Amino acid sequence: MNRCDFSAWELSRRARLHAALDAALPPAETYPARLHGAMRYASEGGKRLRALLVYGAGEALGLAPEQLDAPALAVELIHAFSLVHDDLPAMDNDDLRRGRATVHKAYDEGTAILVGDGLQTLAFEVLAASPQLGAEARSQMLLGLARASGSRGMTGGQQADLAAEGASLSLAELEQLHSHKTGALILACLELPLAAAPAASPDSRLALNRYGRALGLAYQIQDDVLDVTASTGTLGKTAGKDISSVKSTYVRLLGLEAAQARAETLFEEAQTALAGFDERANPLRDLTDRIRARRH
Amino acid sequence: MNRCDFSAWELSRRARLHAALDAALPPAETYPARLHGAMRYASEGGKRLRALLVYGAGEALGLAPEQLDAPALAVELIHAFSLVHDDLPAMDNDDLRRGRATVHKAYDEGTAILVGDGLQTLAFEVLAASPQLGAEARSQMLLGLARASGSRGMTGGQQADLAAEGASLSLAELEQLHSHKTGALILACLELPLAAAPAASPDSRLALNRYGRALGLAYQIQDDVLDVTASTGTLGKTAGKDISSVKSTYVRLLGLEAAQARAETLFEEAQTALAGFDERANPLRDLTDRIRARRH
């Protein structure tokens, strides 16, 4: 795809996501209004990379966008829930997220806890209610999303991250942490669409798994690099926070240049994993380049 | 059933639940060990009323206990998650639960937030993974559980409870709060089994719905009564907490005697709703009497 086609694709898929999000979130004035207002606040903004990965992978498998709206929305809701809880004072204690006040700052701590709880539940509700998916696909997606989000996935990674505060991790320990904290949900973005594509070949399953593992790790290394090289204004969250605290990062363990080089290699690996797909994977290829070039 | 038969039934169903719970919870030593240890801690104890309601209602519909293990476990995991989050300092700030330290006291606040998150996810995982249910039943149960737990159900009720601190609610407002906070999940215990019983008559569906609404409300009124009449040792949580704080309760709004009488009437209504079921509903009938007679 040329750049213009990719922009049109991205705009269209983001519009689908936002329509689905608006339909799924309870109206802000419904009981209890404070919670529903805060859930909408917490769901706004963001790069929507995870949703775009779902559309990109699903379309590479020949699925229609209609079949991908529910899983795309579900992964974004899980991501939004995790950010709200991770930002809490008892966790990372962040005041700024996506360029504005975190939920516990804009509302209060109790509400922020409940916002995260409600967004998590809504992710599962959206999948369970999707009329575009058969019961078998729904059920498989629900299982995949639950495993990726739970204590053996994303939530477990956040616990490991809490435990790692002030500790020096080895590279293997850091990769284990991030393969849970961010990697599991990114991998789920690639694997959920497979539940709606039972005819997908073992090769394409394996390829998407490889792609997801490489991309997830590349993305996290890039996060550590941007924490050092970008400004708070560009990031929309506090820059330099990880490197200034006693926290293990890829930059600290590898050095800035080697970390950058490692991320580049992993982005190449991700692209190579997609080699067997036809032109329907072009949005996913272009999205990968876009992520690689991100500055926040 | 005579008392002895009911005790045998209860023991057997509790044993099923605990076996399912032990199999579903990640071993305490697996990564991240602190989280998995705390998830086990948070899941121990409790009256298991919600699981017993699932078995009781499902067996009244002619289902086998094997078909009910997953929903029984799922509602208990949702209940456990809600207790851990409700006890947090930013919420009800309780130190004692089920006779011992709350999770944020025994561990720490960040871990307690993640324990709740992980238990919630596990509830959905358990349903999505159940080999005893067909894809359609799984999917319907997941939808029912998500709706009952989310911002339009239990989580919304907790938000309303936070907002009601220090406020004077009318009886209608108090019922709206509790129909969300405790009523929605109790109702789900009766409705989840229906997803595995597609041949159930409209009459029995309606009857279980009536039963669940009456029981849920009776249970909450009884909670307010016990907060006044029972001791902390018997309750396993701090007694007199609600009546000593500026909090709306049924006892405060109706007076102790009228609240007790209202609970009794609702327990009668619940029993009457079961009149059309055959003897397979006897465990549910006996369970209702047991709840009615509870002292904690």
Side-chain angles (χ1 to χ4, degrees):
Chain A
M1 281 204 301
N2 63 41
R3 191 171 299 176
C4 182
D5 288 344
F6 176 70
S7 293
W9 180 86
E10 188 194 355
L11 269 175
S12 137
R13 300 309 177 271
R14 288 174 70 97
R16 296 193 72 91
L17 173 74
H18 290 137
L21 180 62
D22 189 54
L25 284 166
E29 67 278 12
T30 53
Y31 183 91
R34 185 175 173 83
L35 179 61
H36 289 140
M39 283 171 69
R40 287 186 169 259
Y41 179 89
S43 311
E44 286 161 10
K47 296 183 282 289
R48 309 302 192 193
L49 286 181
R50 288 162 186 79
L52 293 172
L53 285 171
V54 171
Y55 285 115
E59 292 175 41
L61 292 166
L63 298 174
E66 295 74 40
Q67 297 173 277
L68 300 163
D69 292 332
L73 177 53
V75 295
E76 285 294 329
L77 288 168
I78 291 287
H79 180 53
F81 129 62
S82 76
L83 297 181
V84 175
H85 280 189
D86 290 0
D87 286 338
L88 284 166
M91 308 271 243
D92 300 345
N93 196 19
D94 269 311
D95 295 350
L96 198 61
R97 169 69 66 183
R98 293 175 172 173
R100 40 182 213 171
T102 46
V103 178
H104 65 276
K105 282 282 167 185
Y107 291 82
D108 58 84
E109 215 177 309
T111 299
I113 294 167
L114 294 170
V115 162
D117 293 346
L119 291 174
Q120 181 186 164
T121 323
L122 190 58
F124 294 110
E125 183 179 335
V126 158
L127 277 182
S130 169
Q132 305 290 344
L133 300 167
E136 190 56 54
R138 275 201 294 268
S139 180
Q140 268 192 49
M141 285 192 193
L142 282 155
L143 183 56
L145 188 66
R147 286 191 173 148
S149 316
S151 69
R152 280 168 288 207
M154 183 188 76
T155 294
Q158 176 63 12
Q159 176 80 36
D161 203 20
L162 284 185
E165 286 279 322
S168 265
L169 300 188
S170 69
L171 196 58
E173 289 167 331
L174 191 64
E175 295 211 354
Q176 184 182 36
L177 189 164
H178 288 304
S179 73
H180 287 71
K181 189 178 170 181
T182 55
L185 190 60
I186 287 179
L187 197 55
C189 298
L190 289 315
E191 295 192 333
L192 260 53
L194 285 165
S201 71
D203 276 357
S204 46
R205 289 173 186 274
L206 194 61
L208 285 177
N209 183 283
R210 276 195 193 136
Y211 170 85
R213 288 181 188 280
L215 183 80
L217 186 51
Y219 189 80
Q220 184 56 50
I221 298 176
Q222 198 183 30
D223 242 24
D224 287 353
V225 168
L226 289 169
D227 178 69
V228 180
T229 59
S231 68
T232 299
T234 312
L235 280 185
K237 59 185 178 182
T238 314
K241 189 175 157 117
D242 295 338
I243 203 76
S244 69
S245 63
V246 188
K247 192 166 176 177
S248 297
T249 72
Y250 287 101
V251 172
R252 181 165 275 137
L253 282 173
L254 299 175
L256 181 61
E257 274 182 37
Q260 282 171 319
R262 178 105 179 84
E264 289 299 307
T265 306
L266 286 161
F267 279 118
E268 292 291 341
E269 278 180 36
Q271 288 290 19
T272 305
L274 299 179
F277 286 93
D278 64 18
E279 75 288 349
R280 289 176 300 182
N282 284 351
L284 188 58
R285 294 187 177 102
D286 289 352
L287 177 62
T288 314
D289 285 337
R290 167 75 72 85
I291 298 171
R292 184 175 181 165
R294 78 187 170 115
R295 290 293 165 261
H296 64 279
Chain B
M1 279 204 304
N2 64 41
R3 189 171 299 176
C4 181
D5 287 344
F6 176 70
S7 292
W9 179 86
E10 189 193 356
L11 270 176
S12 136
R13 298 310 177 271
R14 290 175 68 100
R16 296 193 72 91
L17 173 75
H18 290 137
L21 180 63
D22 189 55
L25 284 167
E29 67 278 10
T30 54
Y31 182 91
R34 184 175 174 83
L35 179 61
H36 289 141
M39 283 171 68
R40 286 187 170 259
Y41 179 88
S43 312
E44 286 162 9
K47 296 182 282 289
R48 308 303 192 193
L49 287 182
R50 288 161 187 79
L52 294 173
L53 285 171
V54 171
Y55 285 114
E59 293 176 41
L61 292 165
L63 298 173
E66 295 74 39
Q67 297 173 278
L68 300 164
D69 292 332
L73 176 53
V75 296
E76 285 294 329
L77 289 167
I78 292 287
H79 180 54
F81 129 63
S82 76
L83 297 181
V84 175
H85 279 190
D86 290 1
D87 286 338
L88 284 166
M91 308 271 244
D92 300 346
N93 195 21
D94 270 311
D95 295 350
L96 199 61
R97 168 69 67 183
R98 293 175 171 172
R100 39 184 214 170
T102 47
V103 178
H104 66 275
K105 282 282 167 187
Y107 291 82
D108 60 83
E109 215 178 310
T111 299
I113 294 166
L114 295 169
V115 162
D117 293 347
L119 291 174
Q120 182 187 160
T121 323
L122 191 58
F124 295 111
E125 184 179 335
V126 158
L127 277 182
S130 169
Q132 305 289 344
L133 300 167
E136 190 56 55
R138 275 201 296 268
S139 182
Q140 269 192 49
M141 285 190 192
L142 282 155
L143 183 56
L145 188 65
R147 287 193 171 146
S149 316
S151 69
R152 280 169 287 207
M154 182 188 76
T155 294
Q158 176 63 9
Q159 177 80 36
D161 203 21
L162 284 184
E165 285 278 322
S168 261
L169 299 189
S170 69
L171 195 58
E173 289 168 331
L174 191 64
E175 294 211 355
Q176 184 182 37
L177 189 163
H178 287 303
S179 74
H180 287 72
K181 190 179 170 181
T182 55
L185 190 60
I186 287 180
L187 197 54
C189 296
L190 289 315
E191 294 191 334
L192 260 53
L194 285 165
S201 70
D203 276 358
S204 45
R205 289 173 186 274
L206 194 60
L208 285 177
N209 182 283
R210 278 198 189 131
Y211 170 85
R213 288 182 189 280
L215 183 80
L217 187 50
Y219 190 78
Q220 185 55 51
I221 298 177
Q222 197 182 33
D223 242 23
D224 288 353
V225 168
L226 289 169
D227 178 68
V228 181
T229 58
S231 70
T232 299
T234 312
L235 281 183
K237 58 185 178 184
T238 315
K241 189 173 157 118
D242 296 337
I243 204 76
S244 70
S245 62
V246 188
K247 192 167 178 178
S248 298
T249 72
Y250 287 101
V251 172
R252 181 166 273 136
L253 283 173
L254 299 175
L256 181 61
E257 274 183 36
Q260 282 172 319
R262 177 105 178 84
E264 288 300 307
T265 305
L266 286 161
F267 279 118
E268 291 292 340
E269 276 179 39
Q271 288 289 20
T272 305
L274 299 180
F277 286 93
D278 64 20
E279 76 286 350
R280 290 175 299 182
N282 284 350
L284 189 57
R285 293 187 177 104
D286 290 351
L287 177 62
T288 313
D289 285 338
R290 167 76 72 85
I291 297 171
R292 185 175 182 165
R294 78 187 171 115
R295 291 290 164 261
H296 64 280

